[in-house]
């Protein structure tokens, strides 16, 4: 494993995971995870199915609880303290594989609910903000529709906009394009690329290697609940260090 | 022209949209498709027609054509058909029990106040529905209570033993309905809670009330409960029945709501949590609206069952709608008219229950957002 970045600027660190372990019952799913994410960094996480990628990023906003080690987000350590957890969740956006939009609310209400009830934003301001982000993801005309009336690609873009409405400091993506038909993947990736270009701090679990090559500052490869390798994309794809990485890359890059 | 069209070869990918074949549309198409689609279907259709033919004419004959409608005593009924005079004569008792004549306007005023809130709610797109609901749920019960029992604002006290008839049925049913839903929701949430004490209490409560027949509950409320009260403390008989009915319905409601909660995918909780919503905000804005929508048929089922179960209060000496009719049936002058009374009760009950059922279907359609 590559050692951590040498110019250690602690002010810039947004997420710090140190010696983190997690178990599902007796099953040791994450083993000694160490990861530092700096402001503006774009990190792509890849690895075979079942290697613990989702579990790791879900620990960052405490959708899963870790049992050993430390996770510090924005200077706050994640413990069972509910107040801390809610504070961190406000600052960390998450986009899911299956969108998880709220089907009983219109697109606009999906976007304004959390700003109004969590950030206590005035309704008018929340709507303006929602419309701004809907423009950004290029579907302002769908604001009054319900999620069930949108295509998968549109739904995922709404989900991204919903997270952005909370003005998060970090965005977590868990395979955001895996549930989409091929022709819709690009529209979602385009939005993510734009977001990356604007300097959003991002952690993406994805198998879109093209995306990793163009936007990632760093690619993390996981297998068997461990981080096997962490490198800049150029080195990662052209000179993988580890046998398991080589095997994985040969499988995903074949087509 | 059209036959030419049909045979035309369209360039690949240029086939236009055609009208559906004629045999599938229109009245004939519908009948062919739905009533006479197969030999079995045809036999069933004919059987049904025959059955309707044998049942409907005699019923219409008895209930409408041969029936006696006007009059003031048994003598006005000539015998052949139904004697609706009976309902006419006893109307006030069947509707209001022994509520004093001079005070009946109070009940009627409350009905009007209730309808003023209820009717706009049924009209789609009526403005300010939130305020109307708040009026119905918060202000109206209070006003109705003051009107019904009086002893306040210069209104004469009307003791609850005088309440009766359809009026009493509505009081019990509506109180039960309004109280059981929120209680049931809280119990369902409690039963799914991570906190063992709350969870256990809710399970015990639900399983207790579900395990006991309503008759037993009512008996306990009316006979046993007073034994536990200190001497001299008086607890209204109707109030005891109301609490019994509400708690009983709440236990069933809790299980219906829990069914809805179980159908909500984990992703909904996760998305809400990831946005920073607290447990209660997640429950109120995300989970409950979806869960309740899913179980509207089950909820209305509990309401309908509760509405009909109110008739059981007659065994603890309260004269509800049906109880009043049964009481009238024992009147020596009107001994042979039980059928009219029961038919009338059935029709009224059916209208209320059918109304609830239709409204629930309307709600389901309205709340459907295409998923
Ligand atoms: N709630 C759970 N309970 C038990 N085991 C789980 C649970 N969620 C995931 N796992 C297991 O943990 C491992 C890692 O899962 P996951 O993080 O989803 O992998 P990935 O996202 O890399 O495909 C898998 O073996 C999976 O079966
Ligand atoms: Mg996964």
């Amino acid at each position: 494993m590559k050692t951590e970045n040498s110019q250690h600027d602690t002010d810039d660190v947004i997420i710090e995971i140190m010696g983190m372990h997690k178990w599902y019952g007796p099953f040791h799913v994450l083993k000694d995870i160490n990861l530092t994410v700096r402001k503006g960094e774009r990190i792509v996480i890849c690895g075979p199915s079942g290697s613990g990628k989702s579990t790791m990023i879900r620990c960052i906003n405490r959708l899963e609880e870790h049992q050993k080690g430390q996770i510090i987000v924005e200077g706050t350590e994640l413990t069972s303290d509910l107040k801390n957890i809610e504070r961190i969740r406000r600052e960390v956006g998450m986009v899911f594989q299956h969108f998880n939009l709220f089907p009983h609310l219109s697109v606009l209400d999906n976007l304004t609910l959390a700003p109004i009830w969590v950030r206590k934003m005035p309704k008018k301001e929340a709507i303006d903000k929602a419309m701004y982000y809907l423009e950004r993801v290029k579907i302002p005309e769908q604001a009054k529709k319900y999620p069930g009336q949108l295509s998968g690609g549109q739904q995922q873009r709404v989900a991204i906009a919903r997270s952005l409405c909370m003005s998060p400091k970090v965005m977590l993506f868990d395979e955001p394009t895996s549930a989409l038909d091929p022709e819709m993947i690009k529209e979602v990736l385009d939005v993510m690329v734009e977001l990356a270009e604007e300097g959003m701090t991002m952690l993406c679990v994805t198998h879109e290697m093209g995306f990793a090559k163009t936007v990632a500052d760093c690619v993390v490869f996981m297998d068997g609940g461990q981080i096997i390798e962490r490198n800049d994309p150029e080195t990662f794809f052209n000179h993988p260090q580890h046998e398991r990485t080589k095997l994985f890359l040969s499988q995903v890059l074949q087509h | 022209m059209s036959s030419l069209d049909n045979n035309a070869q369209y360039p690949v990918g240029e086939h236009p949209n055609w009208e559906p074949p004629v045999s599938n549309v229109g009245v004939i198409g519908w009948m062919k498709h739905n009533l006479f689609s197969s030999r079995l279907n045809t036999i069933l259709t004919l059987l049904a027609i025959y059955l309707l033919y044998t049942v409907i004419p005699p019923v219409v004959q008895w209930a409408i054509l041969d029936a006696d409608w006007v009059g003031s005593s048994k003598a006005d009924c000539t015998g052949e058909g139904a004697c609706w005079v009976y309902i006419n004569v006893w109307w006030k008792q069947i509707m209001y029990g022994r509520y004093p004549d001079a005070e009946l306007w109070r009940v009627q005023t409350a009905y009007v106040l209730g309808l003023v809130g209820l009717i706009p709610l049924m009209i789609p797109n009526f403005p300010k529905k939130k305020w109307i609901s708040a009026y119905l749920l918060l202000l109206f019960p209070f006003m109705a209570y003051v009107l019904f029992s009086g002893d306040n604002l210069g209104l004469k006290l009307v003791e609850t033993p005088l309440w009766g008839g359809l009026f009493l049925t509505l009081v019990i049913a509506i109180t039960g309905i309004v109280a059981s839903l929120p209680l049931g929701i809280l119990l369902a949430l409690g039963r799914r809670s991570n906190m063992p004490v709350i969870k256990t209490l809710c399970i015990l409560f639900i399983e207790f009330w579900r395990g006991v027949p309503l008759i037993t509950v009512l008996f306990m409320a009316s006979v046993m409960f007073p034994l536990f009260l200190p001497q001299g403390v008086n607890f209204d008989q109707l109030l005891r029945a109301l609490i019994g009915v509400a708690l009983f319905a709440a236990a069933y409601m809790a299980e219906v709501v829990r069914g809805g909660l179980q159908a909500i995918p984990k992703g909904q909780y996760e998305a809400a949590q990831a946005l920073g919503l607290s447990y209660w905000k997640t429950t109120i804005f995300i989970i409950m609206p979806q869960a309740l929508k899913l179980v509207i048929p089950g909820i209305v089922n509990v309401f309908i069952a509760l509405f009909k179960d109110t008739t059981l209060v007659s065994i603890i000496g309260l004269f509800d709608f049906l109880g009043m009719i049964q009481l009238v049936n024992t009147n020596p002058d009107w001994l042979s008219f039980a059928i009219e009374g029961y038919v009338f009760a059935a029709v009224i009950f059916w209208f209320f229950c059918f109304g609830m059922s239709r409204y629930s279907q309307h709600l389901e359609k309205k709340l459907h957002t295409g998923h």
Side-chain angles (χ1 to χ4, degrees), chain B residues 289-339:
Chain B
Q290 296 185 61
L292 291 181
K293 189 174 85 180
L294 279 176
V295 294
I296 288 174
I299 292 175
V300 175
N301 219 7
V302 174
F303 285 169
I304 289 177
L306 184 152
F307 190 80
K308 294 191 288 188
D309 280 352
T310 56
T311 50
L312 290 174
V313 298
S314 59
I315 61 158
I316 56 166
L318 295 173
F319 289 99
D320 71 311
F321 183 47
L322 189 67
M324 213 64 215
I325 286 176
Q326 279 171 321
L327 186 69
V328 173
N329 287 344
T330 59
N331 184 307
D333 288 341
W334 293 88
L335 276 180
S336 55
F337 297 101
I339 292 185

Side-chain angles (χ1 to χ4, degrees), chain A residues 58 61 63 86 89-90 92 94 96 100-105 113-114 117-118 120 146 148-149 162 166, chain B residues 266-279 281 285-287 289-290 293 368-371:
Chain A
R58 288 155 60 86
N61 63 354
L63 289 184
E86 277 170 23
R89 284 176 179 165
R90 278 192 291 252
V92 178
M94 186 164 209
F96 301 85
N100 296 355
L101 293 176
F102 306 131
H104 62 301
L105 298 177
L113 184 92
W117 290 99
V118 179
K120 315 277 185 239
Y146 286 92
Q149 299 164 314
R162 177 176 70 178
M166 285 294 281
Chain B
K266 217 168 130 233
Q268 292 291 309
Y269 291 91
E270 291 176 351
Q273 285 169 358
L275 287 166
L277 290 161
S278 64
Y279 170 81
K281 284 175 188 160
F285 296 120
I286 308 300
I287 305 303
Q290 296 185 61
K293 189 174 85 180
H368 185 74
T369 55
H371 57 276

